[in-house]
Amino acid sequence: MKKIVVLTGAGMSAESGINTFRDSGGLWEQYRVEDVASIEGYIRDPELVINFYNERRKQLLSVKPNRGHELVAALEQYFDVTVVTQNVDDLHERAGSSDIIHLHGELMKVTSSRSPNDPRQIQTLQPDHMEIHVGDKAPDGSQLRPFIVWFGEAVPKIEDAVEAVMKADICIVIGTSLNVYPAAGLVRYVPDDSPIYLIDPADVAWTAMRPYTHIKKGASAGMEELFEKLKNEC
Ligand code: OAD
């Protein structure tokens, strides 16, 4: 079976009703990224940051995977698929994808402020208990915090992602402005003779010195087109 690596960003979930970050009306127009998505912001005002992610988590209950997520999952009928996502939602999981690397963390999980990447500290929240508060403690006794990789923090999953991308026979990039590193640098690890498809309704600042095929559509329509093509080629 050929291997496909799908790299996804906020545009993947846009048609599910989750705002992107940098489009007009995006989250970073409503909030200052340095306040709610940086380690310095968290240290300055933990309550603001914890509440911001409580709100994001609540929103997750009211959305569902779109056709794009479903077709990414359906690729597994024909290919060995790894999804590398910058998204913290769980829509790839809910659509049925089985191998997912969350580069920027997971909204439904919380962890310790002292050792955020220690697996013993990471807990999954349940729909009937979605909020955390200042004063809630992780198993190690430190403040419980969202399991999110903030600006200023290491991205521990990047090595797994690089390893997957280096094995890709085909790479599909969906809905990311490729502004945030190290995620944006992953396309450089795609082997030279493996094609790259980009699904995004807008032009993207592509800095990797290699060709790609741009399907200038949203995630669902773009995946419909690409799914048919790849299915017939495999
Ligand atoms: P951005 O908001 O930067 O980019 C979203 C991309 O999705 C843009 O290229 C849009 O054109 C595209 N898009 C919009 N609607 C779409 C649709 N219906 N179908 C497909 N694509 C669509 O989001 P990311 O690149 O994911 O990190 O942002 C990367 C990181 O920056 C995030 O993970 C987050 C943010 O700060 C953290 O918070 C740590």
Side-chain angles (χ1 to χ4, degrees):
M1 248 187 189
K2 283 191 173 175
K3 180 162 188 73
I4 295 190
V5 175
V6 188
L7 306 177
T8 68
M12 181 82 233
S13 299
E15 289 158 19
S16 294
I18 301 179
N19 282 353
T20 61
F21 296 97
R22 295 175 183 79
D23 289 308
S24 90
L27 268 184
W28 295 156
E29 272 181 7
Q30 301 163 49
Y31 300 90
R32 282 157 43 104
V33 54
E34 56 275 33
D35 287 343
V36 296
S38 78
I39 185 65
E40 292 84 4
Y42 175 63
I43 290 165
R44 206 165 43 236
D45 191 345
E47 193 170 356
L48 176 84
V49 177
I50 283 173
N51 285 338
F52 174 78
Y53 288 97
N54 282 341
E55 287 305 313
R56 306 272 80 69
R57 214 174 283 124
K58 252 192 256 163
Q59 184 194 28
L60 207 49
L61 284 184
S62 64
V63 300
K64 48 184 199 327
N66 63 55
R67 186 76 185 131
H69 294 103
E70 286 167 10
L71 288 168
V72 168
L75 283 172
E76 294 186 18
Q77 295 163 39
Y78 306 98
F79 299 94
D80 166 17
V81 182
T82 300
V83 176
V84 178
T85 187
Q86 295 167 80
N87 298 342
V88 297
D89 64 53
D90 58 357
L91 296 180
H92 282 300
E93 281 87 346
R94 284 200 252 153
S97 283
S98 59
D99 185 21
I100 305 165
I101 298 173
H102 279 278
L103 282 179
H104 292 166
E106 294 173 67
L107 207 40
M108 288 304 289
K109 294 184 177 173
V110 290
T111 189
S112 130
S113 293
R114 188 179 305 144
S115 308
N117 298 305
D118 177 349
R120 290 169 303 180
Q121 305 299 326
I122 300 168
Q123 306 166 35
T124 302
L125 296 171
Q126 300 305 322
D128 60 350
H129 184 89
M130 297 271 282
E131 294 196 355
I132 61 168
H133 301 283
V134 171
D136 293 348
K137 300 276 188 258
D140 66 4
S142 70
Q143 171 65 44
L144 204 55
R145 61 164 264 187
F147 181 57
I148 302 287
V149 175
W150 288 316
F151 288 99
E153 295 192 296
V155 183
K157 292 278 168 63
I158 194 70
E159 287 177 17
D160 293 346
V162 168
E163 205 176 297
V165 170
M166 286 173 83
K167 292 190 202 132
D169 297 301
I170 299 166
C171 177
I172 308 174
V173 181
I174 308 175
T176 169
S177 63
L178 295 173
N179 264 294
V180 175
Y181 283 81
L186 282 171
V187 284
R188 294 181 185 166
Y189 293 91
V190 177
D192 278 345
D193 48 356
S194 302
I196 303 179
Y197 297 94
L198 171 71
I199 298 176
D200 199 302
D203 287 325
V204 164
W206 186 269
T207 56
M209 297 293 151
R210 29 177 321 169
Y212 61 95
T213 303
H214 191 173
I215 300 172
K216 218 167 177 181
K217 294 185 172 174
S220 299
M223 269 308 296
E224 293 280 6
E225 182 178 321
L226 189 56
F227 186 84
E228 282 310 307
K229 176 181 159 61
L230 295 177
K231 188 174 83 175
N232 294 327
E233 279 176 10
C234 81

